[in-house]
Amino acid sequence: MRHLDYVAAADANAALQRLSAKPQEAAPIGGGTNLLDLMKLHVQNPAVLVDINGLPLSQVREVEGGGLRIGALVRNSDLAQHPLVRERYPVLSEALLAGASPQLRNMATLGGNILQRTRCAYFRDVSQACNKREPGSGCAALDGYNRMHAVLGVSDKCIAANPSDMNVALAALDASVHVQGLKGERSVPFIDFHLVPGTHPDKESVLQPEELITGVTLPASGFAARSRYVKVRDRAAYAFALTSAAVALELEGTTVKAARVALGGVGTKPWRSKEAEAALVGKPADEVHFKAAAEAALKGAKPRTHNAFKVDLARRTLVRALSLTAGIA
Ligand code: SF4
């Protein structure tokens, strides 16, 4: 049996002190829905769990100008049902409700969901080669069964898809992530927070081992209230995305004034498509231009043996999300 220490942190400073003392061996735990799963599989083996549930990070509050600041410990269920989220950022509410099961959403936190790790079966099986879990060991998915894997942002070291629905919505909403370390706080644009695998798939985000996510800010915008999330999966509930799309549109009459587009299930990180957005702005909100945006979004796709179907499925998912958002579906 492995020895495991547990400490309940009284405040952020205490948590950061414990994390900094053994950055490679300590792990913060909030809802634990992903971490405990991976510990049971021996994929993550922390020597000490730092419980951060006592930190005052469970609030959703308005910020100047009409945006929202969401604490890192806000549970996914609470966030999905929050009246201001439903009213101002419906895409976020829909994405959260599309993820996991009610029981998991009741436990899972905003911060943990941002850091949710891939569902690549080879990553979760310690007998398999995996550069993400064990740098330099290889990637069993490249020539293995890769139906669920990514087609955008891939490298010859890793093709794992980011599994979070919520992350796709946050990428579309121009969110910022707030991070605290012992030396102070910093904010990172959400679309820069996660990293593509490149030659170091083990490095998944810009978060340092001795830092904590404290929250997310959603800015006010002209497009967020008109936003939708569409997810395609193998069964109707409790399944990860084959493809998904988070879309927000600001319309002037029938012309697109501003657009935000992000894709899920196809990217190694939550995949914001500025190419699709550029193809939409100034154009009529119709099927012809939605299809052109979908072409632009998937232009750089690099499918493998079993996931080529995702390219066209992602295009169709995006057209569907745009049509629903524009009210023409
Ligand atoms: Fe590991 Fe990434 Fe390859 Fe999956 S795709 S086996 S996570 S390196």
Side-chain angles (χ1 to χ4, degrees), residues 124-137:
R124 293 167 62 84
D125 180 347
V126 293
S127 71
Q128 300 290 325
C130 173
N131 288 322
K132 186 182 283 297
R133 178 172 28 76
E134 198 178 327
S137 63

Side-chain angles (χ1 to χ4, degrees), residues 97-111:
L97 292 174
S101 64
Q103 291 90 341
L104 286 168
R105 292 195 294 268
N106 287 343
M107 286 302 293
T109 63
L110 173 85

Side-chain angles (χ1 to χ4, degrees), residues 120-123 128-132 136-161 197-199 201 268 302-308:
C120 171
Y122 303 104
F123 170 74
Q128 300 290 325
C130 173
N131 288 322
K132 186 182 283 297
S137 63
C139 171
L142 291 176
D143 296 314
Y145 187 58
N146 42 44
R147 179 175 179 268
M148 293 300 289
H149 288 72
V151 295
L152 292 167
V154 297
S155 77
D156 63 357
K157 299 285 184 284
C158 179
I159 56 172
T199 54
T268 51
K302 291 190 176 127
R304 306 288 300 189
T305 309
H306 307 287
N307 65 357

Side-chain angles (χ1 to χ4, degrees), residues 58-324:
S58 299
Q59 303 297 315
V60 178
R61 62 178 169 81
E62 288 189 84
V63 295
E64 213 175 298
L68 291 183
R69 167 93 183 213
I70 305 162
L73 291 171
V74 174
R75 307 285 155 172
N76 285 190
S77 298
D78 295 335
L79 189 56
Q81 302 298 349
H82 195 285
L84 291 177
V85 173
R86 291 172 58 133
E87 177 193 326
R88 298 180 190 174
Y89 307 96
V91 65
L92 178 57
S93 181
E94 289 181 359
L96 285 160
L97 292 174
S101 64
Q103 291 90 341
L104 286 168
R105 292 195 294 268
N106 287 343
M107 286 302 293
T109 63
L110 173 85
N113 200 341
I114 291 173
L115 297 171
Q116 189 182 162
R117 305 198 72 192
T118 183
R119 303 299 295 194
C120 171
Y122 303 104
F123 170 74
R124 293 167 62 84
D125 180 347
V126 293
S127 71
Q128 300 290 325
C130 173
N131 288 322
K132 186 182 283 297
R133 178 172 28 76
E134 198 178 327
S137 63
C139 171
L142 291 176
D143 296 314
Y145 187 58
N146 42 44
R147 179 175 179 268
M148 293 300 289
H149 288 72
V151 295
L152 292 167
V154 297
S155 77
D156 63 357
K157 299 285 184 284
C158 179
I159 56 172
N162 186 284
S164 168
D165 294 294
M166 182 194 76
N167 283 348
V168 188
L170 293 179
L173 289 171
D174 291 344
S176 298
V177 185
H178 306 292
V179 165
Q180 189 173 344
L182 281 174
K183 291 183 186 155
E185 289 181 302
R186 63 191 177 108
S187 295
V188 184
F190 189 81
I191 58 171
D192 297 330
F193 184 81
H194 296 90
L195 301 172
V196 291
T199 54
H200 291 285
D202 53 310
K203 184 77 181 145
E204 296 174 1
S205 77
V206 298
L207 190 73
Q208 298 302 313
E210 65 279 12
E211 288 182 319
L212 281 174
I213 294 175
T214 54
V216 159
T217 294
L218 300 177
S221 79
F223 50 79
R226 186 192 288 271
S227 61
R228 297 296 302 267
Y229 186 71
V230 172
K231 176 176 179 177
V232 179
R233 46 189 156 174
D234 282 325
R235 56 173 188 254
Y238 197 28
F240 289 88
L242 292 169
T243 59
S244 71
V247 163
L249 292 175
E250 184 176 5
L251 300 178
E252 219 163 45
T254 56
T255 301
V256 177
K257 185 178 173 193
R260 295 293 183 277
V261 172
L263 300 174
V266 289
T268 51
K269 60 181 272 184
W271 199 260
R272 174 83 172 264
S273 178
K274 301 241 173 169
E275 297 84 357
E277 294 168 10
L280 290 165
V281 173
K283 305 285 182 3
D286 60 23
E287 194 177 337
V288 170
H289 293 91
F290 293 168
K291 284 183 172 172
E295 281 297 323
L298 274 299
K299 202 169 175 202
K302 291 190 176 127
R304 306 288 300 189
T305 309
H306 307 287
N307 65 357
F309 75 97
K310 280 193 173 189
V311 179
D312 195 45
L313 187 62
R315 288 193 197 106
R316 290 164 183 258
T317 306
L318 178 52
V319 171
R320 175 78 180 155
L322 286 164
S323 301
L324 284 170

